[in-house]
Amino acid sequence: MRDTVEPYVTEDGRTIGGVVMELKNITLRFGGVVAIKDISFDIREGEIRAIIGPNGAGKSSMLNVISGFYTPTEGEVWFEGKPRPKMRPYQVAQQGIARTFQNIALFAGMSTLDNIMTGRITRMKSGLFSQALWMGKAEREETEHRAAVEKIIDFLEIQHIRKTPVGRLPYGLQKRVELGRALAAEPRLLLLDEPMAGMNVEEKEDMSRFILDVNDEFGTTIVLIEHDMGVVMDLSDRVVVMDYGKKIGDGPPAEVRNNKEVIDAYLGVSHD
Ligand SMILES: Nc1ncnc2c1ncn2[C@@H]1O[C@H](COP(=O)(O)OP(=O)(O)O)[C@@H](O)[C@H]1O
Ligand SMILES: [Mg+2]
């Protein structure tokens, strides 16, 4: 049980609201592999919720359960106060949840602009049929989507690469474009799977700043998987610690960092 569901204001002035999602006794098996073992935690409106743990701990699997891409073998996901039913892929995309992937999943031959535009698809109302019938309406919609994408490009400071095919961009910028595509869906809940993996210090600092700005300016709730403890300490409001599919810690970063089981799990496994 959580101690409180009352909204509160953080030290840096952001408001954390009520519970948006509750994961209740989640177990996920792949054949004989138990990726997640009986894990429960909640995600509150407006918070940055980190999930940390060694490689193979089950973090990405958990993100897939949160997004609705995986249906847990046991347990329930409550979203906006109701148990969430099993979903089809198109329904997953429509629930206001957007994500980035541990391995970049962009269209390498397409420009930054067009890649970010693909993030608008779930918001496009005019299908091909209505486009043929109502040219005017579809054109208006197209203009709106372009404007939304340009806003994101400004926000992420990537004007200079808007026409560049993303396959030609350095890794750090590709990660930023991927964030842009997720933001284009105007998600309520944003899921980031190791957004800073493989980045140098400067790239990490930039990405950290953008994550904080997204949360602060748009009030987006963020679930963040991250290996770098320093980054987690700086960014997150609360941290779930996983190890071998189990939850071994849950709380504010300063508290979790001093938990003996967490320290052992971290020191016992090498990270790359
Ligand atoms: N689609 C899958 N099929 C089979 N096993 C999987 C699958 N996805 C993950 N696993 C296994 O589940 C465990 C947790 O993996 P993962 O969630 O990717 O961990 P993490 O993201 O913490 O590194 C690992 O043992 C992994 O091999
Ligand atoms: Mg992973």
Side-chain angles (χ1 to χ4, degrees):
M1 290 295 285
R2 50 183 185 275
D3 36 5
T4 172
V5 291
E6 293 300 311
Y8 68 96
V9 177
T10 62
E11 274 174 25
D12 53 350
R14 295 169 307 119
T15 302
I16 307 294
V19 172
V20 184
M21 184 176 284
E22 226 180 322
L23 295 124
K24 300 187 181 190
N25 304 100
I26 302 294
T27 293
L28 180 70
R29 288 193 202 95
F30 297 107
V33 177
V34 188
I36 303 173
K37 284 179 202 148
D38 195 22
I39 290 189
S40 301
F41 64 94
D42 62 23
I43 300 163
R44 298 181 60 151
E45 182 101 56
E47 80 176 336
I48 301 183
R49 189 74 153 119
I51 302 177
I52 65 171
N55 285 330
K59 304 179 299 296
S60 292
S61 300
M62 184 56 91
L63 215 64
N64 280 319
V65 168
I66 292 171
S67 75
F69 189 71
Y70 287 164
T71 304
T73 317
E74 284 163 42
E76 284 182 345
V77 179
W78 284 54
F79 186 47
E80 296 173 334
K82 296 188 292 280
R84 188 175 62 184
K86 188 170 163 43
M87 290 183 298
R88 294 179 183 284
Y90 75 91
Q91 293 171 310
V92 169
Q94 284 171 348
Q95 57 180 343
I97 301 179
R99 66 170 299 177
T100 64
F101 294 85
Q102 189 168 348
N103 301 308
I104 292 173
L106 293 167
F107 300 100
M110 274 165 53
S111 69
T112 293
L113 186 80
D114 289 341
N115 268 283
I116 296 178
M117 197 66 165
T118 63
R120 298 293 300 173
I121 282 171
T122 55
R123 306 194 73 84
M124 290 184 183
K125 292 188 198 75
S126 313
L128 279 181
F129 185 61
S130 64
Q131 271 182 31
L133 285 176
W134 303 102
M135 232 11 187
K137 186 170 165 254
E139 264 169 37
R140 250 194 328 275
E141 230 199 290
E142 165 95 23
T143 310
E144 273 172 35
H145 289 306
R146 293 242 163 242
V149 168
E150 291 298 345
K151 240 174 78 181
I152 289 164
I153 286 175
D154 284 348
F155 177 80
L156 293 176
E157 298 165 12
I158 47 179
Q159 301 89 340
H160 59 297
I161 54 158
R162 46 204 292 292
K163 292 278 165 65
T164 311
V166 297
R168 289 206 211 133
L169 296 172
Y171 181 78
L173 278 177
Q174 291 195 17
K175 287 288 226 191
R176 210 186 293 179
V177 174
E178 212 194 359
L179 174 63
R181 186 188 48 191
L183 290 177
E186 295 177 34
R188 190 169 166 205
L189 181 59
L190 176 64
L191 312 178
L192 306 174
D193 197 345
E194 303 200 23
M196 283 166 264
M199 287 189 173
N200 63 36
V201 173
E202 196 188 331
E203 288 170 334
K204 276 190 190 186
E205 280 170 7
D206 283 346
M207 185 53 96
S208 294
R209 180 167 54 89
F210 288 122
I211 291 171
L212 284 173
D213 284 352
V214 167
N215 173 257
D216 197 26
E217 288 188 29
F218 310 134
T220 312
T221 307
I222 296 174
V223 180
L224 167 75
I225 297 180
E226 180 51 46
H227 269 314
D228 187 325
M229 264 291 196
V231 170
V232 170
M233 294 292 146
D234 283 349
L235 293 190
S236 63
D237 296 299
R238 288 190 299 165
V239 188
V240 171
V241 190
M242 292 180 71
D243 191 24
Y244 293 111
K246 285 185 295 195
K247 186 174 97 168
I248 60 167
D250 187 357
E255 200 180 293
V256 160
R257 186 176 42 181
N258 295 320
N259 176 327
K260 178 160 186 325
E261 227 181 322
V262 174
I263 294 167
D264 289 350
Y266 256 75
L267 297 181
V269 180
S270 65
H271 297 275
D272 42 22

